[in-house]
Amino acid sequence: MDRTGAVVQGAQVKLTRQNESTGQVVLSSNDGQFSFTNLTPGPFQLTIAASGFATQALSGTLHAEEIYVVPPVALTVAAAISEVDVALSPTEVAEEQIKDQEKQRVLGVIPNFYVTYDHHAVPLNSGQKFKLAWKMTIDPVTFGVVAFVAGVQQAQDDFSGYGQGAQGYAKRYGASFADLVSGTFIGSAILPSLLKQDPRYFYKGTGSRPSRIRYALANAVICKGDNGHWQANYSNILGSLAAGGISNLYYPAENRHGAGLTFENGLIGIGATAAANLLQEFVVRKFTPSVPKQSPAQP
């Protein structure tokens, strides 16, 4: 906060430890708060910078099994006539957070880009939403998963209008990949950009098991907006419906059933999101070795 007690939003807080070349950086949220988690015990230093205010530094020591509460920090107006703002912009902070997310792979292999373990994660701009969707689409594991799905469909003779043999497999592969591309870009890039919604799942990680289950299921139909407030997840809902509708353009005629199938596929997509959220909340993090040391999400 400033000397009058007013909240200072977007202040850059950098935490450094001894023998570390780089530190962790977060921005203060709209209530002025910030947090770091999963830190090893020992001394630390905080450097707080905000435009128009003098940079402040403080230090402390984190003991084992301790939650260290930083005393309220009152920033003073910079006395210099001119200043050089060296704080990272929200876009730059978001870019660093995306780089961390792109390291998240289940068992070190399967991409897990659309979850953030930072409650104060900076909203993504439109370009970053499209970039993340593109990274997910062209990941080698994605092509492997699509190949496996197409193989299962061929073995079960799903979408029999495609036929069998190499040609039938190629058609099933193309349809499965088109489903993935349309669902990812519409639900995680196009609509989130237009509706200003965050396509990521904000990991909760705390509270009772029932509360975490409710949180995970609810996040299939609600999401965090770019303004930091929770709202109806129109991006996921409409994205599932749109992807289902588009699939009618390339699936065999006998497998197209108009609006009924579109809504059915849309509901299946929402259910799949709820199931994936449950896995994120209780299973996936245990098998993801490169989780950033950041604060867990809260409802």
Side-chain angles (χ1 to χ4, degrees):
M1 63 188 71
D2 62 18
R3 289 294 182 181
T4 68
V7 166
V8 178
Q9 180 181 0
Q12 177 184 288
V13 184
K14 182 175 183 179
L15 184 146
T16 54
R17 312 296 299 272
Q18 290 182 346
N19 302 322
E20 284 188 357
S21 58
T22 60
Q24 298 182 48
V25 178
V26 298
L27 299 181
S28 61
S29 60
N30 54 10
D31 59 3
Q33 297 191 31
F34 62 89
S35 62
F36 299 90
T37 191
N38 293 339
L39 299 174
T40 56
F44 63 87
Q45 296 78 40
L46 291 180
T47 304
I48 304 172
S51 178
F53 294 94
T55 299
Q56 287 204 29
L58 54 93
S59 60
T61 301
L62 178 68
H63 301 288
E65 305 299 327
E66 178 188 22
I67 297 177
Y68 187 99
V69 179
V70 179
V73 179
L75 300 177
T76 58
V77 176
I81 297 176
S82 61
E83 66 177 58
V84 177
D85 189 355
V86 295
L88 296 176
S89 69
T91 299
E92 291 171 326
V93 174
E95 196 67 32
E96 292 300 315
Q97 292 172 343
I98 289 177
K99 290 179 181 178
D100 285 336
Q101 289 171 215
E102 291 174 353
K103 297 175 184 176
Q104 296 170 180
R105 290 182 179 270
V106 182
L107 300 176
V109 177
I110 303 172
N112 187 31
F113 302 161
Y114 278 99
V115 60
T116 175
Y117 298 96
D118 185 358
H119 175 48
H120 301 303
V122 177
L124 309 179
N125 61 31
S126 294
Q128 291 166 334
K129 291 171 184 177
F130 276 90
K131 178 182 177 182
L132 197 58
W134 174 250
K135 288 275 190 179
M136 186 69 182
T137 301
I138 64 171
D139 191 88
V141 176
T142 298
F143 293 110
V145 171
V146 172
F148 175 78
V149 170
V152 172
Q153 290 175 343
Q154 177 125 334
Q156 297 176 345
D157 199 26
D158 294 336
F159 310 112
S160 56
Y162 285 145
Q164 288 292 321
Q167 186 178 30
Y169 178 80
K171 290 179 179 179
R172 289 180 175 87
Y173 186 97
S176 296
F177 189 71
D179 286 346
L180 184 144
V181 171
S182 62
T184 300
F185 272 90
I186 295 175
S188 300
I190 298 174
L191 289 177
S193 296
L194 294 174
L195 302 176
K196 300 188 182 303
Q197 295 185 325
D198 201 309
R200 298 171 293 182
Y201 176 74
F202 283 73
Y203 177 77
K204 186 174 188 290
T206 59
S208 66
R209 181 176 292 270
S211 71
R212 293 175 67 188
I213 291 175
R214 290 193 297 269
Y215 174 84
L217 295 177
N219 268 256
V221 292
I222 65 172
C223 67
K224 184 173 283 191
D226 291 345
N227 60 3
H229 301 302
W230 293 96
Q231 54 193 249
N233 194 349
Y234 296 115
S235 297
N236 183 49
I237 297 171
L238 297 178
S240 297
L241 293 174
I246 292 174
S247 67
N248 284 313
L249 299 175
Y250 48 80
Y251 276 103
E254 59 267 30
N255 297 118
R256 304 174 192 171
H257 302 288
L261 182 62
T262 297
F263 281 100
E264 179 181 340
N265 288 339
L267 291 175
I268 291 174
I270 294 171
T273 299
N277 290 347
L278 285 173
L279 289 175
Q280 289 287 3
E281 193 63 34
F282 295 102
V283 179
V284 172
R285 181 170 185 174
K286 300 176 183 178
F287 298 97
T288 306
S290 297
V291 174
K293 294 181 178 180
Q294 296 172 319
S295 59
Q298 300 291 342

mmCIF file of all heavy atoms in Angstrom, residues 193-212:
data_model
loop_
_atom_site.group_PDB
_atom_site.id
_atom_site.type_symbol
_atom_site.label_atom_id
_atom_site.label_comp_id
_atom_site.label_asym_id
_atom_site.label_seq_id
_atom_site.Cartn_x
_atom_site.Cartn_y
_atom_site.Cartn_z
ATOM 1 N N SER A 193 -10.176 -14.725 -26.123
ATOM 2 C CA SER A 193 -9.710 -13.395 -26.534
ATOM 3 C C SER A 193 -10.883 -12.438 -26.694
ATOM 4 O O SER A 193 -10.830 -11.284 -26.251
ATOM 5 C CB SER A 193 -8.929 -13.490 -27.846
ATOM 6 O OG SER A 193 -7.753 -14.257 -27.679
ATOM 7 N N LEU A 194 -11.956 -12.915 -27.342
ATOM 8 C CA LEU A 194 -13.120 -12.067 -27.559
ATOM 9 C C LEU A 194 -13.858 -11.765 -26.255
ATOM 10 O O LEU A 194 -14.320 -10.637 -26.034
ATOM 11 C CB LEU A 194 -14.077 -12.733 -28.547
ATOM 12 C CG LEU A 194 -13.560 -12.910 -29.993
ATOM 13 C CD1 LEU A 194 -14.560 -13.711 -30.811
ATOM 14 C CD2 LEU A 194 -13.314 -11.551 -30.637
ATOM 15 N N LEU A 195 -13.975 -12.767 -25.381
ATOM 16 C CA LEU A 195 -14.746 -12.619 -24.145
ATOM 17 C C LEU A 195 -13.881 -12.216 -22.958
ATOM 18 O O LEU A 195 -14.392 -12.055 -21.855
ATOM 19 C CB LEU A 195 -15.462 -13.943 -23.833
ATOM 20 C CG LEU A 195 -16.411 -14.452 -24.923
ATOM 21 C CD1 LEU A 195 -16.980 -15.818 -24.539
ATOM 22 C CD2 LEU A 195 -17.547 -13.457 -25.150
ATOM 23 N N LYS A 196 -12.560 -12.088 -23.200
ATOM 24 C CA LYS A 196 -11.612 -11.683 -22.144
ATOM 25 C C LYS A 196 -11.698 -12.631 -20.952
ATOM 26 O O LYS A 196 -11.928 -12.223 -19.806
ATOM 27 C CB LYS A 196 -11.860 -10.228 -21.712
ATOM 28 C CG LYS A 196 -11.696 -9.228 -22.857
ATOM 29 C CD LYS A 196 -11.755 -7.799 -22.377
ATOM 30 C CE LYS A 196 -11.648 -6.816 -23.539
ATOM 31 N NZ LYS A 196 -10.422 -7.008 -24.336
ATOM 32 N N GLN A 197 -11.497 -13.918 -21.238
ATOM 33 C CA GLN A 197 -11.502 -14.948 -20.212
ATOM 34 C C GLN A 197 -10.189 -15.720 -20.252
ATOM 35 O O GLN A 197 -9.529 -15.808 -21.287
ATOM 36 C CB GLN A 197 -12.685 -15.904 -20.421
ATOM 37 C CG GLN A 197 -14.034 -15.230 -20.239
ATOM 38 C CD GLN A 197 -15.195 -16.193 -20.317
ATOM 39 O OE1 GLN A 197 -15.173 -17.157 -21.080
ATOM 40 N NE2 GLN A 197 -16.222 -15.936 -19.514
ATOM 41 N N ASP A 198 -9.795 -16.258 -19.099
ATOM 42 C CA ASP A 198 -8.542 -17.006 -19.006
ATOM 43 C C ASP A 198 -8.823 -18.483 -19.282
ATOM 44 O O ASP A 198 -9.663 -19.084 -18.620
ATOM 45 C CB ASP A 198 -7.937 -16.846 -17.604
ATOM 46 C CG ASP A 198 -6.447 -17.156 -17.591
ATOM 47 O OD1 ASP A 198 -6.074 -18.237 -18.092
ATOM 48 O OD2 ASP A 198 -5.664 -16.328 -17.091
ATOM 49 N N PRO A 199 -8.139 -19.084 -20.268
ATOM 50 C CA PRO A 199 -8.422 -20.478 -20.623
ATOM 51 C C PRO A 199 -7.781 -21.506 -19.697
ATOM 52 O O PRO A 199 -7.995 -22.706 -19.860
ATOM 53 C CB PRO A 199 -7.833 -20.590 -22.041
ATOM 54 C CG PRO A 199 -6.685 -19.630 -22.029
ATOM 55 C CD PRO A 199 -7.142 -18.472 -21.175
ATOM 56 N N ARG A 200 -7.006 -21.058 -18.715
ATOM 57 C CA ARG A 200 -6.268 -22.001 -17.873
ATOM 58 C C ARG A 200 -7.079 -22.448 -16.660
ATOM 59 O O ARG A 200 -7.994 -21.774 -16.203
ATOM 60 C CB ARG A 200 -4.966 -21.344 -17.393
ATOM 61 C CG ARG A 200 -4.015 -20.975 -18.513
ATOM 62 C CD ARG A 200 -2.860 -20.127 -18.010
ATOM 63 N NE ARG A 200 -3.305 -18.818 -17.558
ATOM 64 C CZ ARG A 200 -2.497 -17.862 -17.110
ATOM 65 N NH1 ARG A 200 -1.192 -18.089 -17.067
ATOM 66 N NH2 ARG A 200 -2.963 -16.700 -16.725
ATOM 67 N N TYR A 201 -6.705 -23.611 -16.134
ATOM 68 C CA TYR A 201 -7.273 -24.097 -14.874
ATOM 69 C C TYR A 201 -6.382 -23.603 -13.738
ATOM 70 O O TYR A 201 -5.168 -23.847 -13.736
ATOM 71 C CB TYR A 201 -7.338 -25.626 -14.864
ATOM 72 C CG TYR A 201 -7.826 -26.199 -13.546
ATOM 73 C CD1 TYR A 201 -9.165 -26.116 -13.193
ATOM 74 C CD2 TYR A 201 -6.939 -26.809 -12.647
ATOM 75 C CE1 TYR A 201 -9.618 -26.633 -11.985
ATOM 76 C CE2 TYR A 201 -7.382 -27.329 -11.450
ATOM 77 C CZ TYR A 201 -8.720 -27.240 -11.117
ATOM 78 O OH TYR A 201 -9.167 -27.743 -9.919
ATOM 79 N N PHE A 202 -6.968 -22.904 -12.779
ATOM 80 C CA PHE A 202 -6.219 -22.381 -11.634
ATOM 81 C C PHE A 202 -6.271 -23.415 -10.502
ATOM 82 O O PHE A 202 -7.299 -23.598 -9.859
ATOM 83 C CB PHE A 202 -6.805 -21.046 -11.170
ATOM 84 C CG PHE A 202 -6.427 -19.883 -12.040
ATOM 85 C CD1 PHE A 202 -6.982 -19.721 -13.296
ATOM 86 C CD2 PHE A 202 -5.485 -18.960 -11.618
ATOM 87 C CE1 PHE A 202 -6.628 -18.667 -14.113
ATOM 88 C CE2 PHE A 202 -5.117 -17.897 -12.425
ATOM 89 C CZ PHE A 202 -5.689 -17.745 -13.674
ATOM 90 N N TYR A 203 -5.153 -24.080 -10.308
ATOM 91 C CA TYR A 203 -5.057 -25.148 -9.306
ATOM 92 C C TYR A 203 -5.352 -24.606 -7.912
ATOM 93 O O TYR A 203 -4.853 -23.564 -7.512
ATOM 94 C CB TYR A 203 -3.651 -25.739 -9.361
ATOM 95 C CG TYR A 203 -3.347 -26.808 -8.345
ATOM 96 C CD1 TYR A 203 -3.814 -28.104 -8.513
ATOM 97 C CD2 TYR A 203 -2.566 -26.522 -7.229
ATOM 98 C CE1 TYR A 203 -3.516 -29.098 -7.585
ATOM 99 C CE2 TYR A 203 -2.251 -27.507 -6.302
ATOM 100 C CZ TYR A 203 -2.733 -28.795 -6.485
ATOM 101 O OH TYR A 203 -2.425 -29.769 -5.566
ATOM 102 N N LYS A 204 -6.209 -25.309 -7.166
ATOM 103 C CA LYS A 204 -6.580 -24.868 -5.820
ATOM 104 C C LYS A 204 -5.606 -25.429 -4.792
ATOM 105 O O LYS A 204 -4.905 -24.701 -4.114
ATOM 106 C CB LYS A 204 -8.010 -25.300 -5.497
ATOM 107 C CG LYS A 204 -8.545 -24.768 -4.163
ATOM 108 C CD LYS A 204 -10.021 -25.145 -4.023
ATOM 109 C CE LYS A 204 -10.649 -24.466 -2.806
ATOM 110 N NZ LYS A 204 -10.161 -24.993 -1.535
ATOM 111 N N GLY A 205 -5.558 -26.743 -4.653
ATOM 112 C CA GLY A 205 -4.536 -27.382 -3.846
ATOM 113 C C GLY A 205 -4.692 -27.300 -2.347
ATOM 114 O O GLY A 205 -3.936 -27.928 -1.614
ATOM 115 N N THR A 206 -5.649 -26.519 -1.834
ATOM 116 C CA THR A 206 -5.846 -26.405 -0.392
ATOM 117 C C THR A 206 -7.319 -26.588 -0.067
ATOM 118 O O THR A 206 -8.178 -26.539 -0.947
ATOM 119 C CB THR A 206 -5.380 -25.031 0.126
ATOM 120 O OG1 THR A 206 -6.112 -23.993 -0.551
ATOM 121 C CG2 THR A 206 -3.892 -24.816 -0.122
ATOM 122 N N GLY A 207 -7.599 -26.771 1.216
ATOM 123 C CA GLY A 207 -8.977 -26.955 1.640
ATOM 124 C C GLY A 207 -9.341 -28.426 1.744
ATOM 125 O O GLY A 207 -8.539 -29.321 1.457
ATOM 126 N N SER A 208 -10.569 -28.688 2.138
ATOM 127 C CA SER A 208 -11.027 -30.059 2.298
ATOM 128 C C SER A 208 -11.194 -30.728 0.941
ATOM 129 O O SER A 208 -11.327 -30.067 -0.090
ATOM 130 C CB SER A 208 -12.360 -30.089 3.050
ATOM 131 O OG SER A 208 -13.381 -29.472 2.279
ATOM 132 N N ARG A 209 -11.203 -32.049 0.938
ATOM 133 C CA ARG A 209 -11.383 -32.782 -0.314
ATOM 134 C C ARG A 209 -12.715 -32.440 -0.982
ATOM 135 O O ARG A 209 -12.750 -32.205 -2.203
ATOM 136 C CB ARG A 209 -11.264 -34.286 -0.057
ATOM 137 C CG ARG A 209 -11.411 -35.149 -1.315
ATOM 138 C CD ARG A 209 -11.182 -36.607 -0.985
ATOM 139 N NE ARG A 209 -9.794 -36.827 -0.633
ATOM 140 C CZ ARG A 209 -8.848 -37.135 -1.494
ATOM 141 N NH1 ARG A 209 -9.146 -37.244 -2.783
ATOM 142 N NH2 ARG A 209 -7.607 -37.341 -1.092
ATOM 143 N N PRO A 210 -13.843 -32.411 -0.242
ATOM 144 C CA PRO A 210 -15.109 -32.046 -0.904
ATOM 145 C C PRO A 210 -15.075 -30.657 -1.539
ATOM 146 O O PRO A 210 -15.618 -30.449 -2.620
ATOM 147 C CB PRO A 210 -16.135 -32.116 0.235
ATOM 148 C CG PRO A 210 -15.557 -33.089 1.206
ATOM 149 C CD PRO A 210 -14.073 -32.837 1.158
ATOM 150 N N SER A 211 -14.432 -29.692 -0.860
ATOM 151 C CA SER A 211 -14.377 -28.337 -1.419
ATOM 152 C C SER A 211 -13.541 -28.312 -2.692
ATOM 153 O O SER A 211 -13.855 -27.592 -3.636
ATOM 154 C CB SER A 211 -13.811 -27.352 -0.392
ATOM 155 O OG SER A 211 -12.418 -27.560 -0.182
ATOM 156 N N ARG A 212 -12.483 -29.112 -2.737
ATOM 157 C CA ARG A 212 -11.650 -29.164 -3.936
ATOM 158 C C ARG A 212 -12.379 -29.873 -5.076
ATOM 159 O O ARG A 212 -12.216 -29.508 -6.241
ATOM 160 C CB ARG A 212 -10.332 -29.861 -3.624
ATOM 161 C CG ARG A 212 -9.442 -29.076 -2.664
ATOM 162 C CD ARG A 212 -8.199 -29.865 -2.278
ATOM 163 N NE ARG A 212 -7.308 -30.041 -3.421
ATOM 164 C CZ ARG A 212 -6.230 -30.823 -3.385
ATOM 165 N NH1 ARG A 212 -5.926 -31.501 -2.281
ATOM 166 N NH2 ARG A 212 -5.455 -30.936 -4.453
#
